[in-house]
Amino acid sequence: MECPFCGGQMKEGQVFCEHCGKEMQFVPVFEPEIEESIRESLSGLIDRVEEDSEGSQEKDEEKQEEEQNSKTEKKGLVVRISQSKHAKAIFAGLGIGGVLLFLCLIFGIPYAINYNSYEYQIKKAGTAYAMDSPEGYETAVKYAKRAIEIAPNSSDAKMLLSSAYLKLEQQAEAVKMLEEIVKADHSYIEAYKSLIRIYEEQKRYEDINRILKVCTDFSVVEQFQEYVVQTPEFSEEEGEYDAVVSLKLLAGSNCTIYYTLDGSVPTESSEIYSVPIRLENGEYQVSALCVNQYNLVSDVVQKKYTIDISIPDEPEISVDSGEYTSPRMIASDLIEGYEMFYTMDGSTPTRDSIPYLVPIPMPLGNSVFQFIMYDENGVASEIARREYHLVLNAAVTVDEAYIILKQALIGRGDILDIQGHMPNMEGTKEYVCDSAFTENDQIFYLIIEYYVEPGGSRSKSGNVFAVNVHTRELYRTSANYMGYYMVEAF
C-alpha cells in the first residue's frame, strides 16, 4: 500500500507511514467513472450555490466582477482538487455530505460574514434606498431590518428603515421606528423632525408635547418650543408672609394662564392672569395652568400662602351719619404713609376710586360715602361707611339758582342763552349743583361749570360759582389750601 502523502510503501493495515510519519486515512478506491461523476456533481453544486448567492443579495458591478473572479478561482480550485490523485481518494472518503460541507466552507463563509455584518447590511440598505424606486425601498427595508437584528440599538438603521417605510406609504410602521429612536436618543434631531412633521399633519399635538416633555436635549426642545406647554412658574415660594405678596405667574409665549385662589382646579372659565395677584391678609391656595395656541393644557401647579399682617385702622371721618339741614364739610385726617380713597354711591372703594385729598362738601339729598386707607405695603384698612341726608331750609331752589347764574352770564356775554351756547365757539356750557357749603354762617349752593364738546364729552372749565340760598346773591368761589370754600365778588 502506497502512502498518499509521500508515496512510500506501507504494510497492509498500517496506520502511520514509516517514511513521513503521517496518519493514513482509509477510503474506498473509486473507479474513473465514479470520479467523473463526482466532478460533474461538484460543478453543478457550485453553479447552484452561485445562483442562490446572486439571488439573495444584489451586487453592484464592481462587486460582481470581484465575485466572478472569486468563482473562477474556486472552480479552478475544485477542478484541480478533483483531478488530484490524492484529492480523489479524500473526496471519495468524505462522501456527498462531506463534499457539501466542503463547498459550504468555500462559498458559505463570505456569505455568512456579510449576512452578519452591520456595516455591510446598512450600506446595502442605503444603496437600495438611493435607487428611488418602490423596488429599491422594499430592498432597503429588508437590509435595514437585518441591520437592526444585528445591532438592535442602531438609531441610524431605524431612521433609514422609517424613511423607506414613509416612501412606501407605510406611515404607521415609520412612526413606530421614529418613536423608538426618540425614546432612546434625545439628541437625534432628524428623528424628531420627521416624527413631529407626521404628528403635525395628523394634528396630534398632545403627542408632540409628550415626546418633547421628556426630551433632555434643550437644543432639540428649543427648535419646537411652540408645541411645548409648560407649567406656570410662581414668582414667590409658598409659605407664610407678614407683608402683602405681589404674586407673578410666568409661562412661555403664546400661553394663557388660568388661575383660582381657593384651591379649585382652574379651567378656561377661570380668571385669566394678566397682572400680578395681590395676596393680602388671609390664606390662599393658588392653582394655575397654561393653555397654548394648540389648546394643549399643562399640569396644574398649586401653592399655598398664608398672609398675616397688621391691618390699618379704618379712617376717622369728621361728620357722623345722620340727617342735616345745614351742610357740613366731610373731612378726615390724612396719615403719613397712607393713602385714602372714597366713593359717594355706596360702592366698595379701591385704589381706583376717588383719592381723598381735601374736605368734601356734603351733597344735597341722600348720599352714601365709603372710605378706605392703604398703607405703604398696599394693605387695606377696614371700610368706614357714612350715610347723610341733607335738606336745606332755603328760600331759593336749585333751579332758581341756575337761572340766577345763567342770566348773569348772559348779561356779561359769557354765554348766549339759557342752553349755554357760547359766542364764536362750538359746544355749550353746563352747570351742575349737587352740594352746598357754609361760610360765615351763610349757606351757599355750590355750582360747577362744565364745557360740553359737540361730541358730548364733558370737562370742568375751572369756574365755580356760589348762590346764597336766602339772599339770592351770586358769587364766584374757590377752595383754599385746606379745601374749604370762600366766596368773592362775581
Side-chain angles (χ1 to χ4, degrees), residues 39-56:
R39 187 180 298 111
E40 292 176 358
S41 298
L42 288 173
S43 178
L45 284 172
I46 290 172
D47 291 338
R48 286 197 297 275
V49 170
E50 290 171 352
E51 291 173 2
D52 291 342
S53 177
E54 290 173 355
S56 64

Side-chain angles (χ1 to χ4, degrees), residues 182-353:
V182 301
K183 182 178 180 181
D185 188 349
H186 293 177
S187 300
Y188 208 118
I189 184 63
E190 294 304 321
Y192 279 96
K193 287 180 178 179
S194 184
L195 184 57
I196 288 175
R197 184 165 53 249
I198 296 171
Y199 283 158
E200 187 177 33
E201 291 173 355
Q202 299 174 349
K203 300 189 182 304
R204 294 170 59 180
Y205 302 118
E206 288 283 357
D207 286 318
I208 298 176
N209 183 52
R210 170 179 56 80
I211 62 174
L212 292 176
K213 280 177 67 175
V214 298
C215 180
T216 58
D217 190 324
F218 178 75
S219 63
V220 173
V221 178
E222 193 174 30
Q223 292 196 41
F224 305 101
Q225 192 65 42
E226 61 184 298
Y227 299 106
V228 179
V229 56
Q230 298 176 344
T231 55
E233 295 182 7
F234 287 48
S235 64
E236 305 295 336
E237 292 297 327
E238 63 182 351
E240 297 182 0
Y241 291 82
D242 58 1
V244 171
V245 171
S246 182
L247 180 63
K248 297 177 182 179
L249 303 181
L250 309 175
S253 59
N254 299 320
C255 282
T256 302
I257 301 177
Y258 297 89
Y259 72 94
T260 61
L261 301 178
D262 59 0
S264 60
V265 176
T267 66
E268 294 186 40
S269 299
S270 302
E271 289 288 332
I272 297 177
Y273 174 82
S274 58
V275 296
I277 306 168
R278 285 183 59 84
L279 303 180
E280 300 181 357
N281 262 350
E283 291 188 354
Y284 303 86
Q285 290 190 21
V286 184
S287 301
L289 57 76
C290 290
V291 179
N292 73 359
Q293 59 184 328
Y294 298 106
N295 288 323
L296 296 175
V297 181
S298 74
D299 295 332
V300 176
V301 180
Q302 185 178 92
K303 292 185 182 293
K304 184 176 180 180
Y305 300 88
T306 300
I307 314 299
D308 185 11
I309 51 180
S310 58
I311 299 175
D313 295 333
E314 71 175 50
E316 294 184 3
I317 309 303
S318 62
V319 183
D320 294 332
S321 298
E323 296 184 0
Y324 293 85
T325 57
S326 62
R328 304 286 184 89
M329 296 297 286
I330 304 167
S332 179
D333 291 332
L334 286 173
I335 304 174
E336 185 177 356
Y338 289 79
E339 294 179 301
M340 187 182 299
F341 300 87
Y342 69 96
T343 59
M344 300 173 60
D345 58 3
S347 60
T348 301
T350 66
R351 284 177 173 267
D352 296 325
S353 302

Side-chain angles (χ1 to χ4, degrees), residues 91 104 132 160 181 276 307 328 336 348 366 371 401 435 462-464:
F91 277 137
C104 286
D132 195 20
L160 181 54
I181 297 172
I307 314 299
R328 304 286 184 89
E336 185 177 356
T348 301
N366 293 320
F371 296 85
S435 60
N463 295 323
V464 184

Side-chain angles (χ1 to χ4, degrees), residues 159-173:
M159 188 69 200
L160 181 54
L161 179 56
S162 71
S163 299
Y165 277 141
L166 288 175
K167 291 292 187 179
L168 294 170
E169 298 184 357
Q170 298 178 25
Q171 197 172 77
E173 294 297 327

